[in-house]
Amino acid sequence: MFRNPNIRISDYLSNQYHVQELIILISSLIIGYSAVSFGYRYFLYNSMSFAFYPILAYALIKSYFYGRNIESGVFGYLFTAPLKRMTTLLVSHFIDIIILPSAIIIEISLLLYIKFFYIPVEDVVLYWIASVAVISLFIAAGRIIGVFVRDGIASMGVLFAAYEAISIAGNSKNKADIELELYFHLNLSSIDPFYILIESIVVLVVSILMVVISSRLLLNFGLKSGR
């Protein structure tokens, strides 16, 4: 499978079984359905709320693959190649968090233009940042879980349990908890734009730190060679 030393590392780690394309296709159908809404702001809010579900699904799938790759020895095999391991792990995370949110935002922008002949650029950019931050945190959490449990199904299950915990926290009467839950579900209609930006920056910084920590742990735990 990896006979060529110049293997396409990022493709293999980031897009196994063309999951990215499948999720983009599914999200296109979901978001396209929301185009029946009236008013561009209502459409934008609805679309971002719908976009959360393909983002969550993709993060869960990536968590599964990450845990399975550790369990099966894929990383151990890949890292026998002459490459910078930390850089490879960081680049694969960057690819994971950029492509899907970008595809979703591009589609939303095109539908807005087709339906309303107008694209609210500031809102679209802000919501793109929020979607990148959210998917980054979920995938980063999945990586840390995968390093410890080293099992695909368990990694996905623990990550989903963590998501449920966030949802339950939103059921409290605390305003901060409610806004946090709304943010992570990309239900941004009632959240101040400044809060969205600040929260996104904080979440991105935290997620990158989590990726660095999980990568250090992975490299220091000792990787078995792939089959």
Side-chain angles (χ1 to χ4, degrees):
M1 179 165 52
F2 301 119
R3 294 174 184 174
N4 187 341
N6 298 316
I7 52 178
R8 298 166 65 185
I9 301 290
S10 60
D11 285 352
Y12 184 76
L13 293 180
S14 301
N15 201 22
Q16 288 167 297
Y17 305 112
H18 301 286
V19 172
Q20 213 152 234
E21 286 85 350
L22 291 174
I23 295 292
I24 290 172
L25 176 61
I26 293 170
S27 66
S28 297
L29 296 175
I30 295 174
I31 294 169
Y33 176 77
S34 71
V36 299
S37 305
F38 295 98
Y40 81 87
R41 286 195 176 277
Y42 185 72
F43 166 72
L44 182 61
Y45 297 146
N46 258 7
S47 299
M48 287 307 298
S49 295
F50 280 129
F52 167 77
Y53 296 101
I55 283 175
L56 174 63
Y58 185 64
L60 291 170
I61 292 169
K62 290 303 300 181
S63 179
Y64 166 78
F65 280 130
Y66 201 79
R68 199 188 71 167
N69 284 345
I70 298 173
E71 177 190 15
S72 63
V74 167
F75 284 112
Y77 193 90
L78 287 174
F79 292 153
T80 60
L83 51 83
K84 294 182 178 179
R85 300 178 181 184
M86 180 62 73
T87 301
T88 299
L89 294 170
L90 289 173
V91 167
S92 67
H93 180 75
F94 178 78
I95 293 171
D96 286 340
I97 69 174
I98 290 296
I99 294 179
L100 179 59
S102 297
I104 289 173
I105 289 297
I106 289 171
E107 181 190 4
I108 289 173
S109 299
L110 289 174
L111 288 173
L112 281 170
Y113 188 77
I114 291 171
K115 188 173 178 64
F116 305 108
F117 302 102
Y118 174 69
I119 299 175
V121 177
E122 291 183 0
D123 288 337
V124 167
V125 171
L126 183 64
Y127 294 168
W128 176 79
I129 294 172
S131 61
V132 168
V134 168
I135 194 173
S136 181
L137 186 66
F138 279 129
I139 291 179
R143 286 194 171 200
I144 285 185
I145 293 167
V147 168
F148 284 103
V149 301
R150 301 194 178 197
D151 179 84
I153 297 297
S155 298
M156 185 168 61
V158 174
L159 181 60
F160 185 74
Y163 154 71
E164 286 294 323
I166 293 175
S167 299
I168 292 172
N171 294 327
S172 71
K173 295 182 180 180
N174 186 294
K175 183 180 178 181
D177 289 340
I178 293 172
E179 285 198 348
L180 189 63
E181 190 267 345
L182 290 174
Y183 172 82
F184 280 116
H185 281 83
L186 296 177
N187 188 354
L188 308 174
S189 59
S190 60
I191 305 177
D192 183 82
F194 181 74
Y195 174 86
I196 295 173
L197 180 60
I198 296 301
E199 186 70 17
S200 297
I201 293 172
V202 172
V203 169
L204 277 170
V205 170
V206 170
S207 66
I208 295 301
L209 288 175
M210 291 171 66
V211 171
V212 172
I213 291 170
S214 66
S215 299
R216 291 290 184 190
L217 290 172
L218 179 65
L219 296 175
N220 291 332
F221 277 2
L223 301 172
K224 68 177 182 179
S225 181
R227 299 187 180 103

